[in-house]
Amino acid sequence: MGNCSGHDFSIPPGKGPHHVGCTDLMVGHTVEGTFFRLYYPCQLSERSENPDWVPTKEYFNGLADFMKINRRLSERIFNYLFGSCKIPATWNAAFKPNTKHPVVIFSHGLGAFRTLYSAICVELASQGFIVASVEHRDESASATFYFKEKSTPEALKTGEPEFPLRNKQVKQRADECIRALDILFTVNSGNMVENVLKTPFDWSTLENSMDLCRIAVMGHSFGGATVIECLCKEVRFKCGIALDTWMFPLDEVIFPQVKQPIFFINSEKFQWAGNIFRMKKLDSATIPRKMITIRGAVHQSFPDFTFLTGNCLGKIFKLQGNVDPHLAMDLSNRASLAFLQRHLSLERDFNQWDQLIDGKDNHLIPGTNITLNQIKDLEN
Ligand SMILES: CCN(CC)CCN(C[C@]12C[C@](c3ccc(C(F)(F)F)cc3)(C1)C2)C(=O)Cn1c(SCc2ccc(F)cc2)nc(=O)c2c1C=CC2
């Protein structure tokens, strides 16, 4: 693994039995198109060219804008810190056609983009999943690109109420995840998809490779809200895993329409009573709804940044809590795999981590750290 910034901070490789490949697919030239990064079990290839973690420097500029920091200064800092960072996967490696693979669609958070959750996506692919990490064009990504000017620019104007924009965005995000799923269905049935990006990956090798009865949706923060919206709209998603979900964009009127199991995996530091109160509205006596909290974790414990700076910067930028980043990620990924085995009826050994779904671990809290009376104050 290459060094990211002088120190040896790199994104951990997958722990599963499969080598991991990754490639990009963009269908349609405009902002209405679909754009995602695919992580998949691949054949061992002698050339191990790993793709850059951040695809182009425009993304660093977008990130700077999102964080409201000066572009010139931050571009140099980001390049110094992360410019040489690689994703632990082989770019455009040949797909490994043997069994049918379960599928996960991943939705990034506000200000993020499709490559920032590769520790999660690579782990899932190494365990035999095909993962499509969508790049949203709802103006919630730090940056994205397409090849034709878009219709009308829109962002939150000062004084404008936030909910209507965020609710519109979460609906668009869900549509983009469903469009990505439709494209995977097309590929699986052997039909051609026109990839606007000229990547040397042969998509026809994915024909009949996906187990399209075993599909889950997963996301972080705004992406967690996108999970709930997706489950409501699309029954092909058999379950959802929502990482440190931001519930604000969701209209609670859809909650009774969500019939699939949901797993809320929260950080200890990000959550607050109002947000937990909304998650609890999805509690059900009949449908499996689970929640765990990772002790000492922060919001950034889920995206890749948590691995890429030392403790000092990690603490300053709140990219690391007071839990080891690798431990937090392992707990989240293993609990996720156990939940996916249970609700996609996989024949694997992920049930070895069933205890984590109930928060039975020193570094986990079953449910939430938010005390009930904090939530009760909101009830009346
Ligand atoms: C100025 C914007 N301000 C108001 C919204 C809050 C900005 N903010 C906290 C940040 C993202 C932060 C970040 C990244 C990266 C470095 C770096 F130094 F490592 F590069 C540092 C510092 C800045 C932590 C969040 O938005 C938190 N958050 C996120 S963070 C998703 C993300 C974004 C960019 C990434 F690179 C990685 C991950 N996703 C959500 O869906 C939601 C929220 C809040 C509510 C809903």
Side-chain angles (χ1 to χ4, degrees):
M1 278 308 304
N3 284 347
C4 291
S5 57
H7 329 275
D8 184 22
F9 300 113
S10 49
I11 299 165
K15 296 175 166 53
H18 300 280
H19 292 280
V20 176
C22 83
T23 189
D24 280 338
L25 176 68
M26 186 185 292
V27 175
H29 286 81
T30 68
V31 73
E32 280 78 23
T34 297
F35 185 22
F36 60 76
R37 172 151 292 186
L38 195 83
Y39 300 83
Y40 52 90
C42 73
Q43 295 172 18
L44 191 57
S45 64
E46 59 291 337
R47 55 171 186 75
S48 67
E49 181 213 345
N50 293 23
D52 287 341
W53 180 54
V54 176
T56 67
K57 70 175 178 51
E58 277 71 26
Y59 283 94
F60 281 141
N61 290 340
L63 203 52
D65 297 349
F66 170 67
M67 292 157 60
K68 299 184 177 62
I69 49 184
N70 169 287
R71 271 194 176 198
R72 241 186 342 283
L73 170 76
S74 65
E75 187 183 328
R76 289 159 55 95
I77 296 174
F78 283 143
N79 259 318
Y80 168 71
L81 280 175
F82 313 123
S84 63
C85 206
K86 300 291 181 191
I87 289 182
T90 308
W91 189 235
N92 292 320
F95 174 69
K96 188 166 140 187
N98 52 5
T99 63
K100 280 178 170 292
H101 299 275
V103 169
V104 173
I105 305 289
F106 193 93
S107 171
H108 63 71
L110 177 68
F113 41 91
R114 76 191 186 286
T115 69
L116 293 186
Y117 297 86
S118 51
I120 296 171
C121 299
V122 162
E123 171 58 16
L124 290 174
S126 78
Q127 297 285 3
F129 289 82
I130 287 175
V131 184
S133 180
V134 173
E135 183 142 307
H136 292 295
R137 269 74 174 269
D138 63 331
E139 306 272 326
S140 75
S142 267
T144 185
F145 66 92
Y146 28 84
F147 293 90
K148 277 182 192 150
E149 262 326 291
K150 59 192 288 295
S151 41
T152 52
E154 60 179 318
L156 196 69
K157 297 165 193 61
T158 46
E160 188 186 336
E162 187 172 8
F163 176 75
L165 171 71
R166 297 304 185 196
N167 188 248
K168 181 168 170 270
Q169 285 177 320
V170 79
K171 288 183 164 71
Q172 177 178 336
R173 282 164 146 264
D175 290 342
E176 289 171 346
C177 291
I178 293 163
R179 280 211 306 267
L181 183 61
D182 289 340
I183 287 171
L184 292 185
F185 269 68
T186 303
V187 168
N188 194 60
S189 52
N191 298 333
M192 275 293 291
V193 281
E194 167 69 30
N195 189 359
V196 162
L197 306 172
K198 296 302 161 214
T199 48
F201 180 77
D202 179 0
W203 281 84
S204 67
T205 59
L206 283 161
E207 179 173 2
N208 220 4
S209 68
M210 298 173 229
D211 185 344
L212 295 177
C213 303
R214 294 186 162 104
I215 303 169
V217 56
M218 197 168 177
H220 172 245
S221 202
F222 203 168
T226 309
V227 164
I228 311 300
E229 192 75 27
C230 282
L231 291 174
C232 168
K233 285 184 167 183
E234 181 53 73
V235 293
R236 288 178 292 176
F237 291 122
K238 294 292 187 281
C239 66
I241 299 177
L243 305 173
D244 231 11
T245 301
W246 183 44
M247 294 293 288
F248 174 78
L250 293 168
D251 185 339
E252 297 169 12
V253 74
I254 69 162
F255 290 3
Q257 299 159 36
V258 181
K259 305 295 183 196
Q260 302 93 322
I262 301 170
F263 191 16
F264 288 106
I265 303 180
N266 293 342
S267 76
E268 186 174 1
K269 314 272 185 186
F270 177 74
Q271 290 300 329
W272 63 98
N275 207 45
I276 295 291
F277 180 61
R278 286 192 162 142
M279 287 181 203
K280 288 201 171 304
K281 291 196 167 187
L282 281 156
D283 275 355
S284 162
T286 53
I287 307 166
R289 299 281 159 87
K290 303 297 284 181
M291 184 188 294
I292 61 174
T293 298
I294 304 175
R295 286 188 200 283
V298 292
H299 205 46
Q300 295 303 319
S301 297
F302 297 96
D304 296 333
F305 275 113
T306 195
F307 300 108
L308 299 179
T309 61
N311 292 341
C312 54
L313 257 182
K315 292 273 185 305
I316 294 165
F317 273 109
K318 286 175 67 181
L319 302 172
Q320 294 174 0
N322 35 44
V323 60
D324 170 68
H326 292 82
L327 174 62
M329 184 60 71
D330 285 349
L331 286 167
S332 177
N333 284 340
R334 287 170 181 170
S336 299
L337 287 164
F339 187 82
L340 289 168
Q341 165 140 340
R342 184 177 291 178
H343 297 297
L344 297 183
S345 24
L346 303 177
E347 283 103 33
R348 295 295 305 276
D349 58 354
F350 306 147
N351 53 334
Q352 64 183 296
W353 298 308
D354 273 356
Q355 306 258 2
L356 301 182
I357 299 174
D358 298 314
K360 293 199 178 89
D361 183 280
N362 294 343
H363 298 275
L364 295 178
I365 303 167
T368 176
N369 55 303
I370 305 293
T371 58
L372 236 77
N373 54 31
Q374 282 171 285
I375 299 168
K376 280 192 71 53
D377 296 348
L378 287 152
E379 245 150 16
N380 42 41

